[in-house]
Amino acid sequence: MQFLLSCNEVNDSSSHLVLTCVLRHCCIFSALFLNFGQCFFRTMNFDDVLRQLGEFGTYQKWLYVLLCLPAIAGSIQVIQAVVFLFAVPEHRCAIPGFANDTYEIQNNFHEQLVNRSIPMTSGYYGDDKYSRCQLYLQTNTSDVWSSTRNVTGPCHAWVYDQSQFISTISETMDFVCEKKSYASHAKMLGMFGHLVGALINGPMSDMFGRRPVIICNMFIMVLLSICLVWSSSAPVVLFLDFVIHTCTLGQYLVCFVFGMEIVGPSKRMWAGVAMNLFWSAGNMVTALTAYLFRDWKTRQLIVSVPAVVFAYLYFIPESPRWLLKHGKMEEAKRIVANIAKKNKVKIDPNILDEVDIKKEEVKQEPFWNLLKSSVMMRRMIIICYNWFAVGMAFYGLSMNVSNLSGSIYLNFFLFITVEAVAYISCFVVMDRIGRKLLLCISLSLTGAACILPLVPVLVSDTPEKWAINILAIVGNTCASAAMCAVYTFTAELMPTTSRTFGMSMSSICCRVGSLLSPYIVDLTMYISGRFGQILPMLIFGGITILAAFLTLLLPETLNKKLPETIKEAEMLGTNAYDEDVTDASPVELIPLEPESGERAGETENNNDTREKDAIF
C-alpha cells in the first residue's frame, strides 16, 4: 500500500518510471510464482510412475517371473552344448575287421587282440592308454596276428567309452583325430553366437519392441533345437548350434532389459540377481537331464520339446517404457492402468501425460573423446583386459569340467552349485568391501586355484586327482564372483555420456576371451602326459593373475557418485572428485532448486528498491 501511495504522489513527468517500476515488480512476482509452481508441478519420468504404481507390485512380480522362466530353457541349450553335446568320450582305434569291438575289454581273447592291434601311449596321470589315432599295420592281410610292432598308421574307425555317455555329437560324427578340431570349432561358434546375439538384439529390441524380439528368438531357438536331432552333417550341426546360441543370448538379454524396465529403482539390483539365479536353475536341470539321459538325441528332445510352453510369451504386454518412448501413448496408458488395477492402487489415468521421456535419454559424448583422454584410455585397456580374462576363465573352466577326473555329472553339479552361491555372496559382500577389492580378490583366487594344480603334478608322477578337481571348483567359484563384480565396477567407472560405449567394448572383449577358451581347453587333445590335463588351467591362471594386479591401478567406486562426464570420470579416485561432486546419484531425479530463483528474486528486489529510492 505504501508503495502504491508513493506512486500516486509522483508527477506526470515521472509516470513512465512508475509504470516501469510496477511492471518489474509484476515480473518478479510472476517469476517467483512460476518457480514455486515448478516445485510442485515438475515433469516426471517413468520411475516416478513406477513409484506410484508400486516398485515391485503383484503385477510386476508375475510378469517378471514370466520373463525369467525362459532363462531356464536358454541355459539348458547353452550349457549342454558347451559341456555335454560336443564332449569327446575316451576312445581308441577300432580293431580292423571286428564288428563287435568295444572300448571295454570283453575277455582275455579280446584283450590280446587289442594289445596286438593298438599301440600304447601315455595318459594324463602317467598311466598307459591305448592309442586314439594309431594302430599297428598288418604285414599279412590273411593273418591278423602277424604284425610289425614298430610300424603304425592312422585309423579310420573308433570305439568309444560308454561309461559316461551313450552317445554325443562328437562321437556320432567322429570329431576325433583329424577332425578333433571340429569340437573346438563348435564351441567357438556357440560363443561367437553370443557375441552376434548381443550385437543385433539390442538395436532390434529398441526398434521393434521388447515383446516381438523375445517371441522371435524363443520361436527360432525351440524350432532349431528340435531340428538339431535330425541333423546328419557337420556343417548343418555347426550352423544350427551357432543360431541357437545367438537366439538364446538374445532373448535372455532382452528379457533382462524388459524386467529392469518394469521394476522400480530400489528393486533393480535384486531383480538382476534373480535373473542370474534362474539361469543357474537351468544349469541344474541340465545336470539332472544329462545324468538321466546319456544319449544326446533323446536328451535334446526331452529338453527342447517342453519349451513350447513358452508360447505364453505371445500374450505378455509390451514394455510401457518402450511404448512411451516411441509415442504409443494410448497403449502405454492401457498397460499402466492394468498394472494399477492388479496392484490395487489408484492413480491418475492421465499420469503418463506428465512424463517427460526426454529426461530418460542420456546425452552421449563421441566415443573418441573417451579415447583421447590418457587417463580413461589407460582405464579402458585395464577394464577390457579384465573382461577378457573373466570371460576366458568363466567359460573355459566350465568347459574344462569334461577334462577332470571322476564323474563328469558330479563335477558339473558341484560347479553350478558353487556358481549360484557365488552370485548371491557377491552382492552381499560387494557393498561392504568395495568393487575393486572384490574383483581383485576374485581374480587372484581364480588364478591361484588354476596354478596350484601344478604342485601335485610336480610332486608325484601320479598326482592326486581329487586335489585338482577341488582347485578347479574353487577357481570356477571365484571366476563367477569376478564376472558378477566386473559388471558393476565397469558401469561405475564409465561416465554417463559414454557408458554405453564402455560397456559395449567390455562385452566384446569378454566374448573374445570366451571365443578362445574352447581352443585352450582342447589343448589336452594335442598334448599328452600328466601336464596335458592341467595346461588349460595354467593358462587361465596366468591370465587372471595379471588381471588381478592390473585391477589395483583402478580407483574404487564404492559410495561414489556416478561420473556424468569424461572430465568427472578422470577425477574419480581423487580428493578433487570427492570435494567437487555431490553425493546425489545421477540416475535419480534432478531436483529443481527454487533457492536459485529466490536469490534471483532477492537480487531483483534489491535493485528495484534502489531504483524506487532514486525515483521517490
Side-chain angles (χ1 to χ4, degrees), residues 451-526:
I451 293 176
L452 284 177
L454 184 62
V455 175
V457 170
L458 292 176
V459 170
S460 173
D461 291 336
T462 56
E464 296 291 342
K465 303 175 184 179
W466 61 267
I468 296 176
N469 287 11
I470 290 177
L471 289 172
I473 292 171
V474 172
N476 184 72
T477 305
C478 298
S480 301
M483 176 68 78
C484 189
V486 75
Y487 267 99
T488 303
F489 195 28
T490 304
E492 293 178 346
L493 281 172
M494 293 295 108
T496 302
T497 54
S498 304
R499 187 165 293 122
T500 302
F501 169 74
M503 294 298 292
S504 299
M505 287 297 297
S506 301
S507 180
I508 291 173
C509 292
C510 178
R511 299 308 167 193
V512 171
S514 65
L515 285 173
L516 296 177
S517 57
Y519 296 100
I520 296 175
V521 170
D522 289 341
L523 286 175
T524 56
M525 296 190 296
Y526 300 90

Side-chain angles (χ1 to χ4, degrees), residues 260-298:
M260 295 300 101
E261 289 181 339
I262 62 171
V263 176
S266 66
K267 307 294 182 182
R268 284 177 187 152
M269 185 183 75
W270 294 109
V273 177
M275 185 76 78
N276 288 329
L277 292 179
F278 275 86
W279 185 274
S280 295
N283 292 346
M284 294 182 181
V285 173
T286 302
L288 178 62
T289 55
Y291 178 77
L292 295 177
F293 307 100
R294 308 292 179 93
D295 175 65
W296 79 267
K297 292 187 175 181
T298 303

Side-chain angles (χ1 to χ4, degrees), residues 138-387:
Q138 302 298 325
T139 57
N140 186 349
T141 56
S142 63
D143 184 6
V144 73
W145 296 103
S146 64
S147 60
T148 303
R149 300 291 293 179
N150 58 355
V151 179
T152 61
C155 58
H156 304 286
W158 299 265
V159 289
Y160 295 88
D161 180 12
Q162 294 188 333
S163 62
Q164 302 215 61
F165 302 103
I166 293 178
S167 70
T168 67
I169 291 180
S170 296
E171 175 185 348
T172 303
M173 298 188 176
D174 290 327
F175 288 168
V176 294
C177 295
E178 290 86 357
K179 296 196 297 183
K180 60 185 174 182
S181 61
Y182 281 35
S184 302
H185 296 337
K187 297 175 185 177
M188 182 276 293
L189 282 175
M191 296 297 102
F192 185 66
H194 287 184
L195 175 60
V196 174
L199 291 177
I200 67 174
N201 280 279
M204 287 180 63
S205 66
D206 287 337
M207 293 172 57
F208 304 108
R210 317 309 190 205
R211 178 176 169 271
V213 174
I214 292 172
I215 294 172
C216 289
N217 277 312
M218 181 56 69
F219 175 77
I220 296 173
M221 185 193 76
V222 174
L223 177 64
L224 296 187
S225 62
I226 295 174
C227 292
L228 184 64
V229 175
W230 288 278
S231 303
S232 56
S233 68
V236 173
V237 168
L238 297 180
F239 174 75
L240 292 180
D241 181 58
F242 164 75
V243 178
I244 289 171
H245 279 71
T246 301
C247 295
T248 297
L249 191 76
Q251 71 85 16
Y252 176 81
L253 290 177
V254 180
C255 283
F256 187 90
V257 171
F258 193 170
M260 295 300 101
E261 289 181 339
I262 62 171
V263 176
S266 66
K267 307 294 182 182
R268 284 177 187 152
M269 185 183 75
W270 294 109
V273 177
M275 185 76 78
N276 288 329
L277 292 179
F278 275 86
W279 185 274
S280 295
N283 292 346
M284 294 182 181
V285 173
T286 302
L288 178 62
T289 55
Y291 178 77
L292 295 177
F293 307 100
R294 308 292 179 93
D295 175 65
W296 79 267
K297 292 187 175 181
T298 303
R299 183 175 64 250
Q300 184 68 17
L301 283 176
I302 288 175
V303 300
S304 300
V305 172
V308 298
V309 302
F310 294 111
Y312 71 73
L313 292 171
Y314 180 81
F315 302 99
I316 65 172
E318 182 55 87
S319 167
R321 191 188 294 264
W322 183 88
L323 292 170
L324 190 63
K325 182 178 179 181
H326 288 76
K328 301 183 179 183
M329 182 66 69
E330 294 304 318
E331 188 175 354
K333 286 182 178 180
R334 180 177 56 80
I335 294 174
V336 168
N338 193 25
I339 295 175
K341 180 180 178 181
K342 296 294 173 56
N343 289 353
K344 298 180 180 180
V345 298
K346 293 182 179 181
I347 62 170
D348 182 0
N350 298 318
I351 189 173
L352 292 184
D353 294 333
E354 303 176 17
V355 175
D356 183 6
I357 197 61
K358 292 183 179 180
K359 293 179 65 176
E360 309 263 342
E361 300 176 356
V362 178
K363 181 181 178 182
Q364 298 294 316
E365 290 183 284
F367 69 89
W368 54 82
N369 287 352
L370 188 70
L371 302 180
K372 287 180 180 178
S373 167
S374 59
V375 175
M376 295 308 299
M377 185 66 177
R378 183 171 63 253
R379 291 179 185 174
M380 275 295 298
I381 293 174
I382 295 174
I383 280 293
C384 287
Y385 181 78
N386 270 262
W387 277 82

